[in-house]
Structures are given as structure tokens and as C-alpha cells.
Amino acid sequence: MDLVSWPCSSLILSFSLALLLLSRGVFGATFTFVNKCDYTVWPGILANAGIPRLDSTGFELPKDSSRMFQAPTGWSGRFWGRTGCNFDGSQSGSCATGDCGTGQVECDGSGAAPPATLAEFTLGSGGQDFYDVSLVDGYNLPLIVEASGGSGMCASTGCVTDLNQQCPAELRVGEGKGEACKSACEAFGSPEYCCSGAYNSPTSCKPSLYSEMFKSACPRSYSYAYDDPTSTFTCAGADYTVTFCPSMPSQKSTRDSPSTGTVTDGSVSGATIAGSGAGTVGDGSQTMGSSVGSGSGSVSQAELADGSWLAGLAMGDSATTRCPFSAVVAAATLSFILSFVYL
């Protein structure tokens, strides 16, 4: 069977999938950073050893702003937000929390000084991405991760609760804008808190009263080193949004809309179900994908001849409808353009 005799829907799908899979081989995911805090945040980015760095390793993100980065397939690393920063005109300075110790806005291969809320990612090479939000190194500001456009459970994860307001005195760091909450490991250094030494295994290292406090406030975040079963999430072929200080949904919208993602004990509990067309967004609301119903009749050859084959496809053309050569060229061109829009 030649290309001209293919059904239009199959033709569009084939070209699109081929081009999108090709683009996925180059770009693993788009990361979008959004700042909903009432103050400027300076995100830090650290790629794992042997992994290429992204376009920036640290930058300024004013309130109500966003910034996007492309990451290659197989990229792995972590993101965090620095707060209470003071940088001069030459971009030299430091931050009260999450500082990476370079004395510059760029972190250049250095990680966050604890305590800091961390978002961790490993992008799969043609398979599942793994991601989590970790409080193992403490907490400095609310953060959630949301996946879009992927397949699988692709759940939102993170911590909406302001743990700085609940932090025990023995774990508390700083006041005001530079406030943060240490982990028990950072505060006390004991092997049972750090899961080190004789406690370096899932069977010997158990959650402490402090990690249970973190877990109660943020059920989907890592609270200690072996908190894997309820804290690691997967998704295939997704893009990700990292939101600092995500807003809470209103009581009315949560009550009136049963399909809206809810927030329970400070953690986003709504998950995107594969194929549902619905996903959670940073403010706790939900966007619903719309679908085009199938038409009751097939598209006539006259309609195809006058160039309206694409409109017919949108209305649900018959599986037996064939594409003219002009449609083949148009399909290839449209798919090529869509692949760049996707990127």
C-alpha cells in the first residue's frame, strides 16, 4: 500500500509520532519554574555526576514569573529554591537558605546547603522518568512538581504546607524571609536519624518522630532516606512544572467540583490519570481536556478534493477515506511544524 492510499488519520498519526519520538530522543523534557511566592526566589540546578548541565545552574526568579529549560534524554539532577539572597551588580553575594556556596548567582556544580526542599529527577532514555520531592535535607519553602503530557500515573508531588510555621524549636533556622527547618540528621547528626553506620538499611533505619512530623504535613515527599514506597513517582514522556509557594485551592472549588485535585494534609493529592485528559495545576484547580465527537457520516471525496480533508479528520472521517497526494504533503508539513511547537 502506498502513502496516498493510507487513511488520513493514520497518516497524520504516523508522521506525528515519528517526528515527536525523534525530538524526544534529543530533548527529554521541558522544565518550567514558576514563582508564586511573595518574594524573589533564586532557583539552583545541580546535574548529577557525568550529566551535562542545563543552560543555567542558578538564576533569579522574581515573584509571579516563570522560566523554561530543555533537558536532554537521560538527564538527572536536582532543583531547589534559594531565599533571602543578596547579590550585587556583579552577581556576587549569598543566600540565607539553600545557598550553594559559590558566592554567585550561578551554582556551577555546587549543591544546596541544608536545609533546603529538593526536587529530584531522572529522565528515562525511552522509558519511565523518576521524580520526587525530598525533605531529607530539611525544608526551606513550599514546592510542588507537576507532570504534563506524559503517560502513566504522572502524579503531582511536593509540599504545600509551610513547615517553617510548624518546625520544632530544636530544628528551626533563622527568622522571617530566611527561615528554614532542619532535618533531624542535620540537627543532631545521629546515625539513627541519618540512616548511617549500623542504621544504613531499610530494615534498621525507621522513621523518627521528626520525620513523621514531615510526613504528616507532606505525605508525598521523602521524609527520611528510606521513604521510597510513598515518595517516588514515575511518568513517561512528560514535561514538568516546578512551582515555588503554590497556592491552595479555595474551599468552595474543592467542595463544589468532585473532579478537582484536592489538597490533603498539605500535599497535592490529585493525580493525572493516563488518558483522562485532566491534570492538576499549581493553584489546585484542574484543567479538563475537551474531545471532538465522531461525526455520523464519512467525508465525501468532493470534500477531500477541495482541500477540506483536515476539517473532515477533526470531525471524525471514515476509516475507509483515503488521502489524496496533496494531503500526504500537507500531513508531513503539519507534523513537522507540530514537532517544533511541541519542543
Side-chain angles (χ1 to χ4, degrees):
M1 180 184 292
D2 58 28
L3 285 176
V4 176
S5 65
W6 275 28
C8 288
S9 57
S10 298
L11 191 64
I12 289 282
L13 183 61
S14 298
F15 274 115
S16 298
L17 286 177
L19 287 170
L20 291 180
L21 287 173
L22 181 63
S23 68
R24 266 295 176 192
V26 179
F27 297 108
T30 298
F31 289 109
T32 303
F33 296 89
V34 178
N35 181 15
K36 292 189 177 180
C37 301
D38 293 331
Y39 47 85
T40 298
V41 172
W42 284 261
I45 303 175
L46 176 64
N48 289 343
I51 301 298
R53 54 169 281 177
L54 301 186
D55 289 342
S56 175
T57 59
F59 57 96
E60 181 179 355
L61 191 67
K63 69 175 184 177
D64 298 323
S65 67
S66 63
R67 183 170 174 179
M68 298 174 62
F69 292 89
Q70 290 282 0
T73 297
W75 188 88
S76 61
R78 57 180 52 182
F79 309 123
W80 69 96
R82 293 170 287 173
T83 66
C85 301
N86 185 13
F87 293 104
D88 60 24
S90 64
Q91 300 296 289
S92 297
S94 62
C95 301
T97 74
D99 191 69
C100 50
T102 61
Q104 303 290 329
V105 172
E106 294 277 347
C107 288
D108 291 328
S110 296
T117 313
L118 304 176
E120 302 174 316
F121 288 86
T122 297
L123 303 182
S125 299
Q128 294 284 337
D129 300 338
F130 293 85
Y131 58 99
D132 67 80
V133 171
S134 175
L135 308 179
V136 174
D137 287 345
Y139 169 99
N140 68 332
L141 79 171
L143 180 157
I144 63 170
V145 171
E146 297 163 295
S148 61
S151 61
M153 288 303 295
C154 302
S156 300
T157 184
C159 186
V160 176
T161 300
D162 186 358
L163 284 177
N164 293 329
Q165 303 302 314
Q166 304 177 17
C167 188
E170 59 270 30
L171 303 184
R172 190 170 299 153
V173 176
E175 296 292 340
K177 190 183 296 184
E179 191 175 6
C181 190
K182 292 181 180 180
S183 67
C185 174
E186 176 70 17
F188 309 120
S190 302
E192 61 267 32
Y193 292 136
C194 298
C195 294
S196 60
Y199 296 89
N200 188 22
S201 73
T203 55
S204 60
C205 191
K206 302 300 181 182
S208 67
L209 291 176
Y210 296 105
S211 66
E212 287 179 342
M213 178 201 74
F214 282 9
K215 195 67 175 178
S216 175
C218 305
R220 293 192 170 201
S221 298
Y222 266 91
S223 60
Y224 77 108
Y226 294 111
D227 194 13
D228 302 83
T230 59
S231 307
T232 299
F233 298 88
T234 61
C235 191
D239 295 318
Y240 299 94
T241 299
V242 178
T243 303
F244 301 104
C245 304
S247 58
M248 299 285 284
S250 68
Q251 292 295 323
K252 183 178 187 300
S253 64
T254 301
R255 182 179 64 251
D256 293 349
S257 177
S259 61
T260 300
T262 59
V263 175
T264 305
D265 295 327
S267 174
V268 177
S269 62
T272 302
I273 305 301
S276 68
T280 56
V281 293
D283 61 0
S285 62
Q286 192 174 59
T287 57
M288 300 300 296
S290 60
S291 60
V292 180
S294 297
S296 58
S298 62
V299 180
S300 68
Q301 293 299 321
E303 288 176 316
L304 293 175
D306 69 9
S308 61
W309 60 273
L310 184 58
L313 177 63
M315 293 303 295
D317 62 338
S318 168
T320 60
T321 300
R322 308 300 179 185
C323 287
F325 182 74
S326 60
V328 175
V329 177
T333 303
L334 178 62
S335 300
F336 187 73
I337 294 172
L338 287 176
S339 69
F340 280 94
V341 171
Y342 181 85
L343 293 177

